[in-house]
């Protein structure tokens, strides 16, 4: 049995809704086919964007969407993607598959997508191969309401009033695909570029610096030492690889019990990463003004057999649902510093919430976890203390239980619980301090097998179901979690 103490009598910081952000890159079939099918497509669409995907993303209440990359961001020149589609420059996507990019999906289309699904845009600017002037003019084009060459050009291209743009990333992975830079060099470059990411009118830009790759704590140290006062956020990228080896990351669907355990063990490493990067940030920013932005996270497996290796297309099983639940719980626990996160990626790439094939679309197990967890957005974080049985495999052990809780404006207490074990159920004794709603409801996502996933032939093989396996004894809530399950309870 696991014991969970929930301090509902002492709500803490707000869980920023942007923790539930997503990421869309010009990579494989994420943008083209996944979101954009064009105005003349037989697939039902709104202004070239497929209706089924728009509706699914809207239902998910995505708060913020990152674009255009990723590695693509630092080879993207925004002026190639505005104006009449037939006159836009074509290019080769050298990072992802060597395919032709026709730039039909550009600034106007992305910002319209955000309007259609109710998300705020988060744009990544080009530091690696771009110029200060190019970045400055992009911000001017999008946000300036007045007389200027860029504002006039925006109006000529069909947008009279500027957009509201809050989140802007000054480069992406500049330690790698964004320029192979040293942190000292990037810190100075960041200060220079960020200086020209200006605020126009009442639009206030939240400037995000390129942060570390996984456990590169020196990068965080240098950036915080040299540029803290010039940034509002700093990013962190970490992907879960079952094998830990980039050349052979493991299969998305053909895996055994050891692979299952390894995946969850490596997912839990996110806790150490956030803790240690946050400790460095605390030295230079004790008031926690600067946000930690985990703007790339999720599982990364070998691509599906027979697909373009540069498209990063992978299936999504109940294992990925557990990865999503565990990470979201961790982000809740660190929500005093983590104020945005963006799972990679939204459609057809890596740990997607949606897969498409022609006119068909399906929702993945990860989608259902995000849908179940969206009740935590903008709620007050509730501290929890867990005493969990160990889940052991090959001499290693992790906690079997992952949990988090929040209290919303309607005084509803939501408790999210993950049973990480591949085969064993788990009873959880919940001692709730200060709040005990007698009306209880719940949802669960689980499966009969470790590799269960949705296909276009069986799109609902893994889905959310009502959850009722709980009882109250002597004012203690007892919950029995199925093996490999994610549960969210609502008490009111």
């Amino acid at each position: 049995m696991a014991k969970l103490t929930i301090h509902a009598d002492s709500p803490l910081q707000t869980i920023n809704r942007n923790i539930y952000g997503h990421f869309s890159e010009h990579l494989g079939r994420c943008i083209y086919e996944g979101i954009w099918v064009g105005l003349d497509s037989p697939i039902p669409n709104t202004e070239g964007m497929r209706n089924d995907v728009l509706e699914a993303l809207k239902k998910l209440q995505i708060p913020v969407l990152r674009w255009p990359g990723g590695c693509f961001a630092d080879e993207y020149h925004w002026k190639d993607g505005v104006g009449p589609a037939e006159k836009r420059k074509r290019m080769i996507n050298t990072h992802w598959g060597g395919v032709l990019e026709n730039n039909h999906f550009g600034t106007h289309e992305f910002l319209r997508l955000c309007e259609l699904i109710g998300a705020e845009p988060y744009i990544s600017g080009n530091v690696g191969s771009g110029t200060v002037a190019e970045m400055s003019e992009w911000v001017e084009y999008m946000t300036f309401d007045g007389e200027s060459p860029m504002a006039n050009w925006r109006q000529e291209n069909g947008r009279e009033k500027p957009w509201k743009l809050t989140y802007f990333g000054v480069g992406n992975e500049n330690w790698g695909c964004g320029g192979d830079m040293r942190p000292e060099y990037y810190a100075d470059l960041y200060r220079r570029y960020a200086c020209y990411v200006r605020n126009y009118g009442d639009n206030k830009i939240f400037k995000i610096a390129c942060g570390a790759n996984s456990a590169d704590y020196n990068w965080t140290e240098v950036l915080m030492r040299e540029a803290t006062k010039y940034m509002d956020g700093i990013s962190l990228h970490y992907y879960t690889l079952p094998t830990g080896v980039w050349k052979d990351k493991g299969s998305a669907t053909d895996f055994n019990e050891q692979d299952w355990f390894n995946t969850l063990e490596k997912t839990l490493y996110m806790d150490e990463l956030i803790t240690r990067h946050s400790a460095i940030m605390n030295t230079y920013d004790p008031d926690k003004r600067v946000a930690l932005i985990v703007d790339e996270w999720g599982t990364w497996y070998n691509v599906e057999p027979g697909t373009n290796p540069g498209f990063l297309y992978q299936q999504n099983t109940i294992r990925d649902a557990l990865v999503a639940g565990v990470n979201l719980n961790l982000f809740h626990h660190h929500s005093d510093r983590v104020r945005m996160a963006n799972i990679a990626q939204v459609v057809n790439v890596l740990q997607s919430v949606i897969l498409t094939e022609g006119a068909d679309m399906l929702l993945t197990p990860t989608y259902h976890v995000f849908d179940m967890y969206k009740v935590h957005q903008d709620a007050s974080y509730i501290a929890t203390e867990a005493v969990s049985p160990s889940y052991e495999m090959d001499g290693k052990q992790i906690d079997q239980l992952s949990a988090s809780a929040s209290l919303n404006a309607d005084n509803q207490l939501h408790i999210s619980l993950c049973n990480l074990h591949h085969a064993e159920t788990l009873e959880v004794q919940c001692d709730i301090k200060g709040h005990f709603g007698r009306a209880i409801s719940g949802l669960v996502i689980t499966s009969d097998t470790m590799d269960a996933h949705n296909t276009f032939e069986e799109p609902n093989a893994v889905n959310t179901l009502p959850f009722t396996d709980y009882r109250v004894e002597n004012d203690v809530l007892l919950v029995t979690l199925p093996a490999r399950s994610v549960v969210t309870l609502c008490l009111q």
Side-chain angles (χ1 to χ4, degrees):
M1 175 182 287
K3 295 184 178 181
L4 184 67
T5 302
I6 302 169
H7 295 278
D9 54 346
S10 304
L12 300 172
Q13 70 274 358
T14 297
I15 297 173
N16 194 310
R17 66 197 313 267
N18 290 334
I19 282 172
Y20 288 81
H22 290 255
F23 173 30
S24 56
E25 183 170 5
H26 287 244
L27 196 175
R29 297 188 300 112
C30 181
I31 299 295
Y32 301 106
E33 297 185 38
I35 295 171
W36 177 263
V37 291
L39 299 172
D40 299 327
S41 174
I43 298 173
N45 66 85
T46 299
E47 301 171 38
M49 289 168 274
R50 31 187 319 158
N51 290 342
D52 52 0
V53 171
L54 292 176
E55 287 305 311
L57 296 180
K58 189 184 303 183
K59 180 177 184 293
L60 214 52
Q61 297 177 13
I62 288 179
V64 63
L65 184 62
R66 181 174 180 244
W67 173 86
C71 292
F72 184 80
D74 281 274
E75 69 174 17
Y76 181 66
H77 301 284
W78 70 269
K79 293 180 182 180
D80 297 343
V82 299
E86 66 276 7
K87 295 183 179 180
R88 296 183 187 181
K89 292 182 181 179
R90 295 150 76 89
M91 61 179 283
I92 297 298
N93 190 332
T94 58
H95 280 295
W96 304 120
V99 296
L100 182 69
E101 164 66 56
N102 63 19
N103 279 307
H104 284 187
F105 189 92
T107 300
H108 288 252
E109 291 77 18
F110 171 67
L111 293 171
R112 180 60 176 147
L113 166 64
C114 290
E115 289 175 344
L116 289 170
I117 65 173
E120 283 203 75
Y122 168 16
I123 285 181
S124 294
N126 183 345
V127 170
S129 69
T131 66
V132 172
E134 180 182 23
M135 185 176 290
S136 177
E137 288 177 337
W138 199 6
V139 174
E140 178 187 334
Y141 183 93
M142 292 183 286
T143 65
F144 183 58
D145 189 10
E147 177 75 21
S148 80
M150 292 300 105
N152 293 346
W153 192 25
R154 182 193 69 236
Q155 292 168 358
E156 291 171 13
N157 288 332
R159 176 77 181 196
E160 179 67 25
K161 289 295 181 182
W163 292 277
K164 178 183 181 295
L165 176 67
T166 301
Y167 303 104
F168 195 92
V170 182
N172 166 79
E173 294 194 356
N174 300 102
W175 37 260
C177 64
D180 288 325
M181 301 176 192
R182 298 178 301 113
E184 293 82 1
Y185 178 76
Y186 172 73
D188 286 342
L189 208 58
Y190 170 82
R191 289 169 57 152
R192 179 182 173 214
Y193 275 67
C195 180
Y196 293 92
V197 177
R198 294 189 173 100
N199 295 322
Y200 293 103
D202 60 359
N203 189 81
K204 304 300 180 187
I205 300 286
F206 185 98
K207 301 175 187 180
I208 300 171
C210 166
N213 176 25
S214 186
D216 186 352
Y217 301 112
N218 179 60
W219 185 281
T220 301
E221 178 80 34
V222 172
L223 262 293
M224 293 300 295
R225 184 185 71 222
E226 302 296 338
T228 294
K229 70 178 182 178
Y230 305 102
M231 68 174 77
D232 300 299
I234 185 170
S235 67
L236 170 66
H237 290 181
Y238 174 66
Y239 287 96
T240 296
L241 281 63
T243 64
V245 178
W246 282 98
K247 290 184 178 180
D248 185 10
K249 297 175 283 293
S251 170
T253 55
D254 184 13
F255 56 87
N256 58 29
E257 295 172 359
Q258 184 69 62
D259 298 326
W260 172 283
F261 180 91
N262 290 346
T263 302
L264 294 173
E265 180 194 30
K266 287 178 168 56
T267 290
L268 287 164
Y269 182 52
M270 180 70 83
D271 187 36
E272 178 180 332
L273 289 173
I274 294 174
T275 299
R276 293 186 63 179
H277 284 292
S278 295
I280 296 169
M281 295 175 72
N282 291 345
T283 301
Y284 300 94
D285 177 37
D287 295 332
K288 301 184 179 181
R289 181 190 64 83
V290 178
L292 184 59
I293 310 292
V294 190
D295 59 17
E296 290 190 29
W297 67 273
T299 52
W300 196 324
Y301 308 123
N302 297 336
V303 301
E304 294 302 308
T307 65
N308 186 324
F311 282 10
L312 306 188
Y313 178 78
Q314 64 189 41
Q315 252 294 355
N316 194 292
T317 71
I318 188 67
R319 177 175 60 163
D320 296 277
L322 267 296
V323 169
V326 167
N327 275 291
L328 292 172
N329 287 342
L330 290 174
F331 298 152
H332 293 172
H333 292 314
H334 292 281
S335 53
D336 58 335
R337 181 65 84 175
V338 177
R339 298 197 283 277
M340 186 193 295
N342 307 78
I343 189 170
Q345 292 183 11
V346 69
V347 188
N348 289 334
V349 175
L350 299 176
Q351 193 176 347
S352 305
V353 294
I354 294 171
L355 301 178
T356 67
E357 193 66 59
D360 295 328
M361 182 199 78
L362 65 79
L363 308 178
T364 69
T366 297
Y367 179 98
H368 296 303
V369 171
F370 270 81
D371 194 29
M372 183 191 302
Y373 269 55
K374 66 188 180 186
V375 294
H376 295 292
Q377 293 186 20
D378 288 337
S380 296
Y381 170 69
I382 299 298
T384 59
E385 298 165 3
V387 178
S388 171
S390 293
Y391 174 22
E392 300 182 3
M393 184 80 66
D394 193 30
K396 297 181 179 180
Q397 61 183 33
I398 58 177
D399 285 346
Q400 187 175 347
L401 175 68
S402 168
S404 67
S406 69
L407 190 68
N408 68 14
D410 296 325
N411 205 38
Q412 294 174 323
L413 178 66
H414 289 101
I415 307 168
S416 289
L417 308 166
C418 299
N419 180 3
L420 278 57
H421 204 288
H422 68 279
E424 296 181 4
T425 60
L426 177 65
E427 186 164 56
V428 183
Q429 176 181 301
C430 301
D431 181 11
I432 303 170
K433 307 293 186 183
H435 181 294
F436 204 99
R438 292 293 176 176
I440 306 174
S441 59
L443 293 171
V444 62
I445 178 169
T446 186
S447 66
D448 294 331
T449 61
M450 289 190 303
D451 61 352
H453 57 279
N454 294 331
T455 65
F456 294 100
E457 294 72 32
E458 292 187 70
N460 295 305
V462 183
N463 207 335
T464 47
L465 297 169
F467 179 76
T468 58
D469 203 353
Y470 53 80
R471 64 192 188 279
V472 177
E473 293 182 1
N474 299 321
D475 287 338
V476 173
L477 177 63
L478 300 173
V479 184
T480 303
L481 302 176
R484 54 188 176 276
S485 67
V486 183
V487 167
T488 293
L489 297 170
C490 176
L491 284 69
Q492 56 186 338

